[in-house]
Amino acid sequence: MRLTRQYFCVRDVVWSTSTEFADGVLYVDRDELKRVADSAAQGIAQVDFDIVAPGENARIVHVLDTVQPMVKVEGAGIGTAYPGCMGDPETTGEGVTNVLEGLAVMESAPLPWESAAASSGLLYPRDAIVDMVGPIAEFSPFSHTFNLVICYSLVEGKSSAEYDRAIRTCALRVSDYLARATVGRAPDRSEEFTTDNVNPDLPSVVLVWQCQSQGVYASTFLYGHPIDNLVPTLLHPNEMLDGCIVSGNYVWPAFKVPTYLHVNHPILLELYKRHGVDLNFGGVVFSRSHNPTHWHKQRSSSFCVKLARCLDADGLVMAWEGGGNAAVDGMLTIQYAEKRGMRAAGITFEFGGPDGTEGDLLVDSVPEANAIVSGGSIEKSLVLPDVARAIGGDCFRLNKESGGWFPPANRSIAFDTTTHIYCSGNQAGHSRLHAAAY
């Protein structure tokens, strides 16, 4: 499979009377964009938009998913990206796809804290925060992108599933509409992705990517279908780059992996860079994390390693979305791989308290896990400063368990952990933070 990505570098986004892309500027017709959004907004009372630029003294709250605007211009599924969610669930990953590089479509909504269904127990939508400047900006890749934020006001009385579906469909249609402004234009650069040209003298490495799927608000979609009962499966890396995976995970801001990072997966892109240089990139083994029992975890992990062996892999990179019991799935996969003679490395967030020395560092570990990359500790206290403006809402929505706390979103606030900081768990390897020995 060969995929060409054509990148159109976005240097500014401005409201205009028509939508077009010229000289690095994306001009957006706000009225037309609203019509596109309204066509998918069943269960949504009102949709509004905001443009947030890198370096702006701003904070975005109530963040849900974030989408990379792109459109298929040649190959299967021509005319749309994100097959299954947009268009037919036809296998993607070949042809030509246009990408608005440096732009993200971001969902923001105060989803209800219900006592039943998706919002019960631990699986309720916690407030996710992105700061464009200041001490937490580097925790998220989206302090470096132009963010077109869709702000949703909800109709009362709809189900969690109805809100979830409407919000996701709306964002994907908006993303598609914006990306179409690139059609027929010359890209700033292009890049071809293929796993052909294998060097038999180099080791073969696969990516094992395990994602959360525990119901509405904590789900992942493969070609438009939830992966709740997915048996581990093989994906060509290009399928991920073309949008075969879409996120519906809003429950733990630090650990979520938005759709934007599925299609720009840092570990996958790094393996592609090294393909034919010091390794052969053998493909992706994709599965569910958070399997419900130890028996299910053993079954899934064993399947993952079996598929890696079918690809004649010498090693695997183990990465997973989510905290808690997802670590058990990942560690079992590492253990099974090492016991079968396959080297395995992983990336995960850690605990460790304020200075990294307290208690257990990891949720789970096995003796064979001796090549683990830290994505950073989530048990770091931090203080968010005042900002000039907050997008998505006037107040934070915090501490549901104790009845709720709603301080002003534009004012300084202290947190004991990074749980509410969007993507701060860094399990896809996006963060610019680093560790230093001293």
Side-chain angles (χ1 to χ4, degrees):
M1 297 176 74
R2 291 179 180 269
L3 172 68
T4 298
R5 272 184 151 189
Q6 298 189 143
Y7 294 99
F8 297 78
C9 301
V10 177
R11 299 177 181 88
D12 201 2
V13 183
V14 297
W15 298 119
S16 182
T17 55
S18 62
T19 298
E20 61 179 325
F21 183 78
D23 299 322
V25 180
L26 180 64
Y27 299 91
V28 183
D29 182 337
R30 190 172 193 147
D31 292 335
E32 181 63 22
L33 189 66
K34 192 172 188 311
R35 283 191 287 271
V36 171
D38 286 345
S39 69
Q42 297 179 12
I44 309 298
Q46 183 177 345
V47 172
D48 202 359
F49 306 97
D50 214 317
I51 297 169
V52 187
E56 184 177 350
N57 187 12
R59 172 174 299 142
I60 310 168
V61 297
H62 313 334
V63 180
L64 302 176
D65 192 24
T66 303
V67 179
Q68 170 70 74
M70 57 187 191
V71 62
K72 197 77 181 167
V73 294
E74 292 181 21
I78 186 170
T80 60
Y82 304 106
C85 290
M86 294 283 289
D88 296 331
E90 187 174 357
T91 301
T92 192
E94 297 182 279
V96 180
T97 301
N98 287 2
V99 178
L100 278 170
E101 187 176 41
L103 176 68
V105 171
M106 187 173 285
E107 307 164 356
S108 172
L111 290 170
W113 286 347
E114 302 168 339
S115 59
S119 296
S120 63
L122 295 175
L123 298 181
Y124 71 89
R126 288 168 172 79
D127 209 345
I129 304 165
V130 174
D131 272 14
M132 300 302 288
V133 294
I136 71 162
E138 295 297 334
F139 280 83
S140 168
F142 304 110
S143 62
H144 293 268
T145 56
F146 286 91
N147 300 313
L148 193 146
V149 184
I150 310 175
C151 301
Y152 300 87
S153 299
L154 305 178
V155 174
E156 292 186 6
K158 297 294 184 179
S159 69
S160 300
E162 288 173 303
Y163 292 136
D164 179 50
R165 182 169 53 251
I167 288 169
R168 178 169 48 259
T169 303
C170 179
L172 290 172
R173 288 188 184 179
V174 165
S175 172
D176 178 74
Y177 169 78
L178 297 173
R180 288 175 185 273
T182 65
V183 175
R185 295 189 173 275
D188 292 286
R189 64 185 181 91
S190 61
E191 188 173 7
E192 185 181 68
F193 295 91
T194 179
T195 55
D196 295 346
N197 306 317
V198 172
N199 184 337
D201 296 325
L202 296 176
S204 177
V205 177
V206 301
L207 170 62
V208 179
W209 183 224
Q210 297 178 346
C211 290
Q212 188 168 7
S213 203
Q214 295 176 282
V216 179
Y217 296 163
S219 193
T220 303
F221 299 86
L222 177 63
Y223 287 101
H225 192 74
I227 65 168
D228 302 33
N229 296 311
L230 179 73
V231 174
T233 191
L234 295 177
L235 295 177
H236 193 284
N238 293 356
E239 293 180 80
M240 286 182 59
L241 295 177
D242 245 5
C244 74
I245 301 174
V246 169
S247 174
N249 180 12
Y250 317 137
V251 295
W252 290 99
F255 309 136
K256 68 174 71 180
V257 177
T259 300
Y260 184 100
L261 286 178
H262 285 297
V263 303
N264 296 295
H265 200 293
I267 300 172
L268 183 150
L269 291 173
E270 180 66 21
L271 289 170
Y272 249 136
K273 283 181 185 177
R274 296 173 63 174
H275 179 68
V277 179
D278 58 0
L279 58 82
N280 295 315
F281 186 12
V284 177
V285 176
F286 181 62
S287 70
R288 174 191 171 174
S289 63
H290 295 84
N291 281 285
T293 71
H294 193 72
W295 183 90
H296 288 89
K297 293 175 185 299
Q298 290 176 309
R299 176 177 178 267
S300 178
S301 299
S302 183
F303 262 67
C304 287
V305 173
K306 175 193 69 176
L307 293 175
R309 295 177 72 192
C310 289
L311 294 172
D312 292 326
D314 299 295
L316 62 82
V317 177
M318 179 68 249
W320 62 85
E321 178 184 32
N325 72 57
V328 180
D329 299 82
M331 288 296 174
L332 279 174
T333 304
I334 290 172
Q335 185 173 63
Y336 287 151
E338 291 279 351
K339 285 184 173 180
R340 287 156 180 78
M342 187 183 304
R343 302 304 303 272
I347 178 171
T348 178
F349 70 91
E350 60 180 87
F351 296 109
D355 66 355
T357 64
E358 297 179 9
D360 294 326
L361 289 178
L362 304 178
V363 175
D364 186 38
S365 63
V366 295
E368 293 81 4
N370 57 10
I372 301 298
V373 177
S374 173
S377 172
I378 65 164
E379 293 190 329
K380 300 292 185 183
S381 60
L382 43 83
V383 178
L384 280 58
D386 290 350
V387 292
R389 70 185 187 113
I391 296 92
D394 296 328
C395 299
F396 294 110
R397 301 172 73 240
L398 307 170
N399 299 359
K400 170 182 179 283
E401 294 87 347
S402 58
W405 181 40
F406 309 98
N410 65 336
R411 301 303 300 273
S412 177
I413 187 171
F415 289 104
D416 293 332
T417 72
T418 68
T419 298
H420 285 283
I421 311 307
Y422 195 58
C423 303
S424 60
N426 185 33
Q427 289 158 278
H430 63 79
S431 179
R432 292 170 173 79
L433 302 177
H434 69 279
Y438 61 93

